[in-house]
Amino acid sequence: MRIAVVGSGPAAFGVLTAIHDCMPEAEVTVFDIGDDPSGPVTPPPPDTPAEPRYLKRLYATLRWAYGLTFPPPKTLFGKAPPKLDVSGAGRIWSSTYRGGLSNIWGAVALPFTDRELARWPIDAAALAPHYRRIAEQIGISGGYDGLNEYFVEDFHNRPEIDLPGNLKRLLETVKARSGIVAGVGRIAVETRAENSAACVYCGECMSGCARGAIYSVGDDLRRYRESGLIDRYVLGRVVAVDPVERRLTVEVDGKPDISEPFDRIFLAAGCIGTTEILMRSFGISAGPRVRDSGVLTFPMLYLGRNRTSREAAFALTNLIVGVDDAEHGGLTPIQIYPSFAHLWRYYVPQWLWPVFGPVGRVLRDRLYWCRIYLPDESAAVYAPTLSGDGPMTFDLEREVDAAAALPIIERFRASLAGSGFSVPKFKPIRHKTSSHYAATFPYGGPLLDTPPTGQVAPGLFVCDSTVFPDSQPISPTFTIIANARRTAFDSFL
């Protein structure tokens, strides 16, 4: 069997795991637009603390490349993916690096429950074996806590991250609150102390992990190439698919070429990339809508007795507080971060770092940042269009409904009464994009009647969040990988 996989991000990884388990003898070609994601700043050796020279060069590079924005950009050693302009709004991420957006993701790996899957043609039981298989490969840290009241099975299989003492107090506080659950972050990060890549709490997560503790699809993609599972790796941009002959039009070095026919083609180029391929392949110039989950950030203060246990910190999500949102049918997550050094190094002139360092350590223990993701009804909506052979363009059709966050934040604020924690009544900061793009050609959609199998033409399958019926506040990456694996796995039965 001859198989083509288009893409190199989370969905492509999900497809490749199914090929590995079901069709290892197949002839597999990966078509990847992905550039090398390595940044311009050479990281320190894995077992060496980040030295001042490295940090100064890194932050000088960030400020020169990205300006002063809030929040500071998350990069891979000074390099972030490019963005696409949206008329009437900001910009959206373009997944053009090998490994896709997993190079800079926050690594939260929570499954969808039947409540998140209410509009899907499948249920959580159909995804469970694929969640389980993917969890075995990527590793998910976590523990049994309040989150299991909502996510009965969360598929974690590694020790939980070590929370700062103050956040342990917050976790104890939230346990007793009705309609609110809380737990340590379920994160795709290596926490097993005996593993050479184990997290050492250096606090440099936002600029790239030199140890490789944070899972990235690129690592497994490299292993699949070295093992021979991937027979050919074509670096080029897939423009369109012939749904009858199952041939790909591929631009390599700017020149179009037509591939040989394949028995199966799995489109896994991310919502934006796959949407453009489908529009060109089926002659659709307008009509799809990209849904982008709204995300806002607000501060939280701790004024009680300090219980911090570590000098350094884990700089991704430490704690997840879920507010049960009956009106919209699911859980609205609030991800909580400490004020890790990346947040002040980015803004403070380098000559002031020695002076500001002690202040930064105080802020880490007293000031926390909360990031709230909103349900589909509050998502931003972009309208992509195609004109001839030109690039796909985007218009803003609907802005994020930031006001929808206020009652959720108010419930969270009320739950903190008497705990030493408080949420100031500041207007939350709305992010320009969440990067959680979905739903352009959903299952059973009007433009392309995609069935639950993902097969839109004989042998042609859509595998990424393009097929999601909506944009959920729960981080979608774990589900993107698991559903891509389900799509490919079931096609081989």
Side-chain angles (χ1 to χ4, degrees):
M1 179 179 289
R2 304 182 73 246
I3 297 174
V5 180
V6 180
S8 66
F13 165 60
V15 171
L16 288 167
T17 64
I19 295 172
H20 176 274
D21 293 349
C22 301
M23 285 284 171
E25 72 283 0
E27 182 184 328
V28 179
T29 302
V30 170
F31 293 87
D32 180 19
I33 195 176
D35 299 323
D36 184 350
S38 302
V41 183
T42 303
D47 295 318
T48 304
E51 60 177 9
R53 276 189 306 176
Y54 162 75
L55 293 171
K56 287 180 179 180
R57 185 180 173 201
L58 173 68
Y59 286 94
T61 300
L62 292 180
R63 285 192 289 270
W64 177 83
Y66 304 107
L68 293 179
T69 61
F70 186 87
K74 188 177 189 299
T75 69
L76 189 65
F77 308 114
K79 188 175 184 179
K83 288 187 175 182
L84 304 171
D85 291 326
V86 177
S87 177
R91 309 175 76 199
I92 58 177
W93 294 109
S94 177
S95 179
T96 58
Y97 291 152
R98 187 170 58 252
L101 294 180
S102 74
N103 289 298
I104 61 164
W105 71 317
V108 170
L110 281 169
F112 285 5
T113 71
D114 281 331
R115 291 176 68 178
E116 283 75 42
L117 297 169
R119 299 175 189 170
W120 289 52
I122 61 169
D123 58 14
L127 282 174
H130 305 288
Y131 279 132
R132 199 170 293 116
R133 172 66 178 86
I134 296 304
E136 290 173 1
Q137 190 137 345
I138 70 175
I140 301 173
S141 63
Y144 291 100
D145 50 36
L147 287 178
N148 294 102
E149 296 175 26
Y150 187 86
F151 304 96
V152 177
E153 185 178 9
D154 60 19
F155 306 99
H156 79 266
N157 52 14
R158 290 180 181 172
E160 63 186 49
I161 60 170
D162 185 5
L163 287 178
N166 295 346
L167 289 186
K168 290 178 182 176
R169 183 190 296 272
L170 177 61
L171 186 56
E172 295 164 3
T173 298
V174 175
K175 282 181 181 178
R177 309 296 177 175
S178 176
I180 297 180
V181 298
V184 67
R186 275 34 171 195
I187 311 292
V189 65
E190 180 58 76
T191 54
R192 295 171 295 184
E194 70 278 8
N195 192 287
S196 61
C199 175
V200 292
Y201 297 87
C202 69
E204 301 300 328
C205 311
M206 298 293 286
S207 56
C209 180
R211 298 177 65 83
I214 304 169
Y215 178 78
S216 171
V217 164
D219 297 333
D220 270 318
L221 200 69
R222 182 178 61 255
R223 282 190 281 269
Y224 281 146
R225 292 180 69 178
E226 291 171 352
S227 70
L229 181 75
I230 299 172
D231 296 276
R232 285 199 308 150
Y233 198 91
V234 178
L235 191 60
R237 173 175 171 262
V238 173
V239 177
V241 178
D242 183 328
V244 177
E245 295 191 2
R246 293 194 291 276
R247 297 177 184 267
L248 303 172
T249 301
V250 188
E251 283 186 357
V252 179
D253 296 328
K255 298 177 181 179
D257 190 21
I258 306 297
S259 77
E260 69 274 23
F262 290 92
D263 297 301
R264 278 179 178 68
I265 297 174
F266 296 101
L267 294 181
C271 181
I272 303 300
T274 293
T275 295
E276 183 169 2
I277 294 169
L278 288 173
M279 290 176 72
R280 293 192 189 280
S281 303
F282 289 90
I284 300 169
S285 60
R289 295 294 184 267
V290 179
R291 308 186 77 83
D292 180 11
S293 179
V295 56
L296 300 94
T297 291
F298 59 94
M300 178 179 68
L301 300 174
Y302 177 63
L303 302 176
R305 183 178 177 183
N306 194 20
R307 290 172 53 181
T308 292
S309 58
R310 275 192 178 272
E311 177 66 19
F314 182 68
L316 298 179
T317 300
N318 278 216
L319 202 66
I320 297 174
V321 175
V323 180
D324 200 336
D325 187 0
E327 180 181 352
H328 298 107
L331 198 73
T332 299
I334 300 172
Q335 298 177 8
I336 300 177
Y337 301 74
S339 286
F340 40 85
H342 181 75
L343 293 173
W344 62 262
R345 283 197 191 113
Y346 188 67
Y347 301 106
V348 174
Q350 292 184 0
W351 61 272
L352 276 177
W353 284 8
V355 176
F356 198 83
V359 177
R361 285 190 286 274
V362 171
L363 290 177
R364 188 195 62 217
D365 298 337
R366 298 294 180 178
L367 174 64
Y368 297 88
W369 294 97
C370 305
R371 181 173 290 183
I372 181 171
Y373 289 83
L374 298 178
D376 184 70
E377 291 81 357
S378 304
V381 177
Y382 315 122
T385 57
L386 281 176
S387 179
D389 294 330
M392 188 163 63
T393 59
F394 300 86
D395 293 301
L396 177 66
E397 186 170 279
R398 188 180 76 187
E399 288 190 340
V400 170
D401 180 13
L406 300 181
I408 302 296
I409 294 173
E410 188 55 45
R411 286 181 61 187
F412 177 55
R413 178 185 287 116
S415 74
L416 300 176
S419 67
F421 290 91
S422 64
V423 174
K425 294 202 172 185
F426 297 149
K427 182 178 180 181
I429 301 165
R430 180 167 66 86
H431 297 227
K432 293 179 180 178
T433 178
S434 72
S435 78
H436 296 167
Y437 311 126
T440 46
F441 291 100
Y443 292 128
L447 291 171
L448 204 61
D449 187 13
T450 309
T453 60
Q455 185 172 229
V456 295
L460 176 60
F461 297 83
V462 185
C463 302
D464 49 42
S465 58
T466 301
V467 297
F468 285 20
D470 48 26
S471 175
Q472 287 292 327
I474 304 296
S475 177
T477 305
F478 190 26
T479 300
I480 289 171
I481 302 172
N483 191 53
R485 184 180 191 277
R486 178 193 68 86
T487 301
F489 186 93
D490 290 354
S491 79
F492 298 133
L493 297 180

